[in-house]
Structures are given as structure tokens and as C-alpha cells.
Amino acid sequence: MTAFDASVEMRPRLVGQRIKRTEDPRLLTGSGRYVDDMAPQGLLHVAVLRSDQPHARIRSIDVGEAFAVPGVVAIFDAGDIAGDFKPAIPTSRMKGYYATPFRPLAEGKVRYVGEPVVAVVAESRYAAEDALELISIDYEPLPVAVSKDDAAMDDAPLLHDEAGTNVIISRTFARGDVDAAIAAAAVVVKGRFRMTRKTPMPMETRSYLAEWDRRRQALTLHSSTNIPGIICDVLGSCLDLPGNRVRVVAPDVGGSFGGKGSLNHEEMLVCVLARKLERPVKFVADRMEDLTAMSQAFDETIEAELAVDADGRLLGLRADVIGDIGAYSIYPWTGALEPVQVVSFLPGPYRMEHYRGRVRGVLTPKPPTGPYRGVGRPSSTFAMERLMDMAARKLGMDPSEIRRRNLVTAEEFPYRTGSGIIWDRSAFQECLQGVCELVDYPALLRQRDAARAEGRWVGIGLASYAELTGIGSRIAVAPGMPINTGTETASIRIDATGAVTAAFGISSHGQGLETTLAQVVADELGCRMEDIEIQHGDSALVPMGTGTYASRSAVLGGGAATKTARVVKAKVLKAAAFLMDVPVDDLEAEGGIIRARSSNATMTFREVAHAVYAQMGRIPHEQREDLVGSESYDPYLGTACASTHLAMVEVDPATFAVTVKRFAVAEDCGRIINPLIVDGQVHGAVAQGIGAALLEEVVHDEGGQLLTASLADYLVPIASTMPEIEILHVEADLPNNIGGFRGMGEGGTIGAPAAIANAVSDALAPLGIEVDTLPVTPDRLFRLVQAARGSARL
Amino acid sequence: MKPARFDYVRAESIAHAVEALAGAGGDGKVLAGGQSLMPMMNFRLVKPSVLVDINRIPDLDRITQEAGVLRLGALVRHRMTAEDGLVARHIPVLHAAMKHVAHLTVRNRGTFCGSVCHADPAAEMPMMTLLLDGTIHIASPRGDRTMAARDFLVGSLSTALEPDEMVVAVDLAIPEDGTGWAFEEFSRRHGDYALAAIAVLMARADGRMRNVRIAMMGIADTALRFADVEAALEGREGTPAAFDEAAALLQAAIQPNSDLNASADYRRHLAGALARRALAEAWQRTGETTGGAA
Ligand SMILES: Cc1cc2nc3c(=O)[nH]c(=O)nc-3n(C[C@H](O)[C@H](O)[C@H](O)COP(=O)(O)OP(=O)(O)OC[C@H]3O[C@@H](n4cnc5c(N)ncnc54)[C@H](O)[C@@H]3O)c2cc1C
């Protein structure tokens, strides 16, 4: 483990400042470059005919007159490309797991509505879509079990016969004797909580452009991915190409939220077709295709029971989770990513001895679930934080007090949870206290009680959680997954003009990493921010970089940047020392100027670089070194990131609309590189969390058909949904990694759903209503209130 | 999500437009703001052979006051209706309703007449046209005709318009002076199509309700007026009891659908809740009748 490096702390200059994002001028003036902006000569467009069946055997495909449509170049089904690739296999070391093979087009049978079956390649997307209308597929419908509960039954129809079961993931985490703890407890609360299916909904839809270079026999994929390195590796093995002949470039990417963080059918497809046709091939999903076939999120039912003693101390938690993972186990994370994390994070940020969490991941005829901002934790936090409030209510204790009594305290770190997660020091208690002070909690309670006395439905909800971010090589991001997500590499060079180019394996797609990493590099190197170009999102930049996901890029990218900048700086100073004829330790660098403390003599980076590269013999050959460096960083463990959210809501008794009146976040993300960007990440993630709590739900009917196939039916939060978000940054002890950063890109989605569920439950406490399903829509509330009033009348 | 092939005609005049429609042999479509038509074409739910663009026809973008009515030309955008001084002064209930229509970019393009022609059961414009006893002005190669809104609006996405006809304007009756009004709507997010909405107009004479008009939407296949309920309120005092009774009558009269956003039961509940609010509000806004339309 790396000890905290105090030398970083001594020279704070750019790190910590509210610097405007350097990527914004190009993005806001329309000078960004997305995959859809690229149109190489000879470009062909793909449109995809998708399954309208949830589960069926493909009997035959009739292309009819499709080839007669002007502009149509080629039409492919799975049989036509069978020899052109190997399927991607999302392997895992998990026991009893079955890795569903992942292909560009459905082979033999279809397993969800929206699965790609036929690809039409044409000179324009219009022509390709005209041709789609003329193709018909003859299906033999197969029996389906659409809901996860039905699909998990022993006699359920099998989606993948080879698996022998639909339950391809099954795990249990346990510590202590939870049954005994529950049996003996003073208070036990339980619930059956449902976090419904969501879709990530980035502004830019999935977009892929593959180019085959006949001369080099090499493939370049431009992809709206956030994991270019992983995609590059898997394409290399699926297409049997060495790494120096596959390159995956993510240009400007308009968001992902997880939806672009796995391998996609169409992403493989364009590569296979570009090589086959020896022409550039592009696929840009339309909104309906993203709604039907992008990887989706959550979809769990959590049955959980919490035992506490008479003083409100947590004794034990017993949970049974069933996750609907859709039709395929996603590459590379596997279908375990989401549901297994629910049971590993369920014990929350609390001290609790006894735990047993069982989880099953079930194949169903729906799009695969995959990573989604927050992964697992929005669901686990929703269930656990609801139980905390239910227990507090039973005990007559304030929700803040029961949390205060159970949150792990500073003296207890490192604390191992019942599921085996180790919490290192982070501001667990301080965030709770901080958010309560920020909103003047006692005054807020009085405000609520006054409103309640007028018959208004006003409620307050808290949610405390902790997450693991910036995870190193000790812990797999997804359980049992054989991909190294624990390291990142930076490669920095100074050229003859003194300009600094810093290249990374991460892949910023909205996080502002070009700004934050430049801040880190500038501070470490002593150069000016404007002299730095940050390169990322390109598998050719560094030998291995997996991308940006799991709140890792500031920690791992920032750590690699720091290590590398130090190496390069040492070379700059060594050259300068020779040129200025002073000892190296007499030199310091800042703002692009190297200064000798003793004499005040200076040289610029540019002058040093020019002397090193352009002036032959100026530095003796045995001392001369290129001003370059490349180092990788592995934080080994992950770092905990704690937070407490508070929501105040009002429910309209006539319409059952929920209005979020106040929302406050206290969070500990360690040393803040750029508060402006941190605030933006919190705002965006809280908006997403409010969407999950109040609006967003992917609905499939009993026949497996998608009902929410447009943005008129899948509701995302809009400006008028959003309250002001108050943020308190709590900087407790810094974590044990280079730079002292914690990951903070996801947290808002974790706390907000739970806080709002608790606030709505509090608002309806006079009726005894406990929210157990999200989103809590007006229609759901109407039914809850009706039921409560009905039973009250009995 | 690309439309099927179509021909495009930019109409220079109303006559040119209806001629082009007639030439399309029943398969032409008027393109006004495109805010409903273009999505439907992109989904390939409609595939017109000819698109007749009326956006360059002069003088259709006017709101004028005629005898007892405001006339909205075929190119009056939602934004104009929402911000127009005549509308705000003479038909404040319409001014209030327009705040609920979509979002800025949609309001900048979408037209009042286009919405009436589209006849979405959850759109404000057809409902307000019904409430305000609207008259539809129609042109065709066979000449001009007018039609009452209640005859024009046939059902969900369906009107009495012939394929070679175009709507050139809609007249909305200006309520008499002192008319109380209310518009209540509920949607999941601001600017979404309504789950339910109600608009009420009523006059007051001798402390009693007169000339009550009620229109609702989101509660059936089309926006509706409720003659029976209107009659039941005529001459009653504006008391909470009367409003509760009327709300119950409305709830009994409607047959809402269940869909993704709302079950029929919830919609019925919502209709009652909005009705109680709107009736009380309209009553509150009534002034004793001074006589005569403005
Ligand atoms: C995101 C979004 C949100 C929306 N929210 C709402 C909302 O909250 N409330 C609401 O009421 N509406 C809403 N709309 C719909 C909007 O109001 C449309 O503008 C309106 O329904 C159609 O008017 P248009 O001028 O755009 O007509 P177009 O889309 O151009 O045409 C619609 C139909 O009417 C026909 N048509 C148009 N004009 C004429 C004419 N003069 N004569 C004969 N036929 C004609 C067309 O041929 C077509 O069949 C929304 C739309 C969008 C995209």
C-alpha cells in the first residue's frame, strides 16, 4: 500500500480550484466531434432489423425485394457472417455460472424484443430503412417466462438451453448467525423492495464507425464507448487480429451512464461488416433502438429483514435478492455485476455483526442489464435505508439518531462489513452530521410538523451510504471477472516547443477529465495548464487502459498522472541543472518557469525542451534524455466514499404528485481536484436519482413487448423536476492513495432514490404507508393511499 | 427512424395547397409545425406520398378579433397564442391553458390549427376549441366551408376533414364579460401531455351559476363537453356541495383508459379532484354580469 504523500499537499495551486472545463468551448460551440460527425469516403450505413418476438426460433428469413431498393449494398443475417468472428464470452470464475456467448446478430433463435437479426448495408440510412420494411422473418414462437420470478422456477422455459437453467448466477454472503440474531431481537422490520428497470439514456445514442485499412490489414473502430481498451482487446480476439492492427477510438462522447460501457451487438457488427466489405461502415442507433436494445439497469426484488435492539443498534440483516439480468450476460462485466453488488453493499455504512445475503441472477427475455451509474448500490441503499427508517419508526427514534448510532465511527476503520467489504476511513459520521447542520434539521422537522398540522403531506428523508471507488487490483470490479481493472497508465512527453502531451487509458465522456487531469499534471510538472493537452479515449495511446467507469478515473488516472509527471519533471530539472549550471535541488518549477532559488536565474520549459531536442550537442550525449515518461498506478485496494443525502418532499393529496422541496448532499470525495466539476457530477447524479425515484421505469408487458419505447413514455427528469441542490463537501482524513482523491462520479444516483423514498414514506406516515417500489408514481401512491384508507376504515 | 420517401410541395397560397392535396389522390398531408407529423413519419406510422408545406403561405400567422370571436390563422404558433395580448385579455382561460403546452422549441413551431387537425385526445388545443364553441374554417378545391368544432372532432386522432381539405383558421368565441374561468391540468412533468385536464367557464347572475361550460380531456378517446353536468349546475349557487356533486357527475360520465402512466381508477380520481378545484376557482373569478360580449 502506498503511504499518503505529503509532498502533494505542500504545493496546492491548480488542484482545488474552480476551473472552468476546458472541453466546454468546443462542445458548446458545436465544434465537438462525435462518431456521427465522421463521414469517411465510401461510407456505408447500417440499419438493423430487430426481433419483434421475446423468444422464438428463426425458421427463415425472406429478403423479398429489399435488394431492389436503390442504394442497398448488402444484407446479412447470422449465417452470412458465421465464419467472420468468434463470439465474445463474458467469462467469470463464479461457481455455477454460465457465460452466454455474445454475437452481432441472433443465431438460430431470438431472446428479446429488439435483438438484432438482420443487417442491411446501404449508401444511406434512408435506403437501409426502406429495405428493412421489405424483409420478413418467419419465427416459431417459443414459450417465455417474462418475469424474473417465473423465469427462476425449476420448470421455466429455458432461454439458453446450454445453460440448463435460467438462474445463471447464485451467491450467498454470510457472517455470524443472523437467524438467531433476528429471533432474539427487540425489533424486527422487513419489506419486499422493488427497484424497477431503468435505461441509461445518454444524450448521444450509441454510434459506431468501423474502417478497414486494406493496406495494413488493420481495423479502426470509432465508438461512442467509455471502455475503448476493453473493446479493443475483445475485438482483437473475436476478429483474430493482433493488438497493433486494431484500434478503438472514442472521440467526443455524449454521455454513457453505463449504457456505453459494455460490448454492444452493433459495435461488433460494424467491425465484421467493414472487414468483409472493405468499406467504412457506420451504425448510429436512433432513440428507439437505444430504448429497446441498450443495456438496461437494476430490476431487482429485495426481500430483507433487519433486526435491531431496543436502543436502535443494528444486530443483523437477512436478505434474498433476485435480479432480472435480461437475455444475455453482458461482456465483460457479466450479469453478476449489478445483482451481486446489491448483496455486497446491502449492509451499508453501518456496524452490524450478522448478515446473510443471497442473490440469484435470472435470464429473462429482455435486453441485458449492465453497468448503470451507481451499480447495485442504488438498489441496496434503497432497501437498507428504508429498513433503517422503518426500524426508527417502530422505536420512536429520529431517523438521524438511528443512523448516528450505527454508522461506522472514525476509530473503527478499517471496518469489514458482513459481506466482506472493507471500509477505510471516510467521513461516515461527519456527512450525516454535516447535512443535518446544513439544512438546520431541527428547524426542518418543525417546518414539517407545522405543515402536517395543516393537513399537508410533507416529509423528510435521509439516506446514508458508502461506496467503493478507485478500485485497485485487489478487488474485481465485477465478481470473478478476469479483466484487470486495477491499473491505469499515463504517458507524458514534452516536445521541442515545450508543449506537454499527456496520454491516458481512461476515456472521459462528460466527466471533465481533460480539465481535472491537466490540473493534476500542471501542478506536478510545474508547467502551465494551457501548455498541456490531455489525450484519452484511444486504445493506441497506452499499452493497456480499460476506460472510465466505476468512479475510477480521478483516483487511478490522477495517480498515474502524478507518478508520471514526477518522472518527467526530474528529467526536465536534470537538463535545466546542467544548462543553468546549478545543482538540481536548487531548482523549482512553477507556471512553466524553472527557477534557481540561489540566483533567481530562470529558464522556461520551452527553452529547456529546445536545448534538449533541437540543439545538437548542447547537452552531452551521455547525459541527454528525452523528456518523456510512462508510469502506471494501481491503488491496490479501493477507497471508501461516504455521503448522506436529505430530501424534503410534499405530496399533493389531490393528484398524488411528489414535489421535491429541498435536496441536500454532504459527501466526502477526499481531496477535491475541481469543486465546479464535483458539484456538476453531484447535480447530474442527483437528477438521475430523482428520475429513478419518481419517473423512470422500463416496462415490458406480459408478452415481453416493450411499452416504454419512446421518450413520451419513458420519462426522464427535466428542469422543472429539479430542486435546488445544496452541497456540503466534507473533507475528513484523506484516503491512502496518491493524491488523496476519492471517486465521486456516481454517488448522487445512490443516495437520492433512497432519500426520496424515505421522505415520501415520512410524508405519508400518518397513513402508515411505507414506500417499497420505485419509481413512486402518482398512480402507485394513489393505490397505496386507497389501500391504507380502506384498511383504516375496517 | 427515417421517414419513407415522399414528394414535397411548398404551397404559395391556400389555393395552391388544396390543389396539391387534391393532386395527391387522398395521400397528401399538410405540413404545418411538424411537431406531430414529423415524429409520426419518422416512426413510419404515416407515409404520405406528398407533403404540402403551408409555412410560406402569407397572412396565415395572424390572431384577429372578429365579431364575438378571436380568429387564429393556420400558422399561429403555440408561442404566439400563449403570448398574444388579445388572447390574454379576451380569453384568459386559453392564455392559462397554453402554459401547459409542451416545451419552448415545440411551442415555437407547433400551430393551433395543426393541433386541432391532429386531434390528440390529450392535447389542449382541441379541448379549448370545444370549450370555446369553436368554428373551423376549411378550404378545398370545391370551395370554403365552416364546421362546428364538436362536429369536426370525431375521435382519437380523427376529424371530419377530407383528404383534399385544409384548415385555414379556427374561430374561438369570446366569453361574455365577467365570465369566471379556470384551467386545471395534471401531467407527470411540466409540458407533458396531460393525464387529465379540465377547463371551466361560468357566469354569475343573482348569486347563481349561469351559462356553465365544462370541457375535459385525457378521460376518453377525445376531449369532451359535458352538457348534462353543465345543465345540472345552471342556476345553482356556487357552493362546495354543488361542486362536489358536479365532480361526482363528471366522474360517472367519463370512461378513462388505463395506460402506462395512469390506471383508469386513478384518472377518474384525478378528474374529480381537478373538477372540484376548477369549479371553485371559476366561481371565485366570476363578476356579476355587466351584459354584452366585449
Ligand atoms: C415533445 C413534444 C411535446 C408535446 N407536448 C404537447 C402538449 O403538452 N400538449 C399538446 O397539445 N401538444 C403537445 N405536442 C404536440 C404539438 O402541440 C403539435 O405541435 C401539434 O399537435 C400539431 O401542430 P403542428 O402545427 O406541429 O402540426 P403538424 O405536425 O405539422 O401536423 C399535424 C397533423 O395535422 C395536419 N395539419 C396540420 N395543419 C393543418 C391544416 N392547417 N390543415 C389541415 N391539416 C393540417 C397534418 O397534416 C398532420 O396530420 C407536443 C409535441 C412534442 C414533439
Side-chain angles (χ1 to χ4, degrees), chain A residues 93 470-477 483-488 552 556 633-638:
Chain A
R93 290 184 289 266
I471 299 174
S473 62
R474 172 72 182 76
I475 305 163
V477 163
I483 279 191
N484 172 22
T485 51
T487 60
E488 266 305 326
R552 70 194 291 274
L556 274 72
Y633 177 55
D634 175 355
Y636 193 59
L637 294 172

Side-chain angles (χ1 to χ4, degrees), chain A residues 129-130 286 654-655 716 779, chain B residues 1-2 44 189 263 266 269:
Chain A
E129 291 195 19
D130 287 347
D286 59 37
T655 63
V716 294
D779 194 53
Chain B
M1 235 191 245
K2 303 280 187 228
R44 298 197 179 207
R189 300 171 306 180
S263 61
Y266 169 64
H269 159 84

